[in-house]
Amino acid sequence: MNFIKDIYSIKFQSFNKKNEILTPYTSDENIPFKIKRFFINGNIVKNSNRGDHAHKKTKQIFVCLYGKIKIKCFDGKKSKVFNLKNQSYGLYIPPTIWYETIYLNNNNSILVVTDKKYIENDYIRNKNDFIKFRSNLK
């Protein structure tokens, strides 16, 4: 079982040339797991909320590609808010953490990198079910 203290920021090395930025993301180098899946949610409008779920086993890293994104995390007892605003920083969220993403600008884009392929039964989509799940892990 993971807790708020297990969530952390990752500073990715970026290379700047004029107004261009290159940021590589590499399994087992600057990504702390082997990448099995990644997806991008793009063109998300201001004040949209997404996420609102947890994973039983999936590890994830969130990277803001464009805009400003707030991620609220909850471990069943404690909450913490994280802010993302550029591709040089990622947020590692381990399994068993409930999260919600709030998009603070228009046209936001987020990259999510995971260590598992999409498996529907890995998701906990109801917060009360999440709290029950956490209490059963003790």
Side-chain angles (χ1 to χ4, degrees):
M1 179 164 36
N2 292 291
F3 300 94
I4 291 296
K5 67 176 180 54
D6 300 311
I7 301 166
Y8 59 87
S9 282
I10 299 171
K11 169 73 170 112
F12 297 107
Q13 184 177 11
S14 291
F15 303 92
N16 299 305
K17 185 178 179 182
K18 298 182 183 178
N19 290 330
E20 299 174 3
I21 302 170
L22 170 69
T23 309
Y25 309 102
T26 308
S27 286
D28 297 324
E29 287 181 23
N30 61 6
I31 301 288
F33 51 75
K34 186 164 182 71
I35 298 169
K36 294 286 181 131
R37 176 177 181 240
F38 68 89
F39 58 91
I40 296 171
N41 284 330
N43 202 31
I44 301 170
V45 298
K46 186 175 183 174
N47 297 321
S48 290
N49 290 13
R50 298 187 53 95
D52 283 332
H53 64 266
H55 291 276
K56 296 173 188 171
K57 296 183 179 182
T58 302
K59 299 173 187 173
Q60 300 180 99
I61 294 175
F62 294 79
V63 177
C64 178
L65 299 177
Y66 185 81
K68 289 183 182 178
I69 300 167
K70 178 168 49 173
I71 301 180
K72 294 181 182 179
C73 295
F74 176 62
D75 68 7
K77 295 203 186 239
K78 293 184 181 178
S79 297
K80 189 168 181 180
V81 175
F82 300 87
N83 294 296
L84 297 175
K85 61 182 179 181
N86 69 57
Q87 68 192 43
S88 296
Y89 289 90
L91 182 67
Y92 170 79
I93 300 179
T96 72
I97 299 292
W98 183 269
Y99 70 91
E100 173 186 356
T101 53
I102 300 117
Y103 297 87
L104 303 176
N105 287 354
N106 279 313
N107 304 318
N108 297 274
S109 289
I110 193 167
L111 166 69
V112 183
V113 180
T114 74
D115 72 330
K116 305 260 186 290
K117 293 182 179 179
Y118 176 84
I119 303 167
E120 178 57 36
N121 68 4
D122 184 55
Y123 285 73
I124 305 168
R125 298 187 185 273
N126 177 286
K127 201 166 192 176
N128 289 330
D129 292 344
F130 167 74
I131 292 167
K132 287 178 195 171
F133 174 81
R134 294 265 317 182
S135 67
N136 290 332
L137 292 177
K138 294 178 182 177

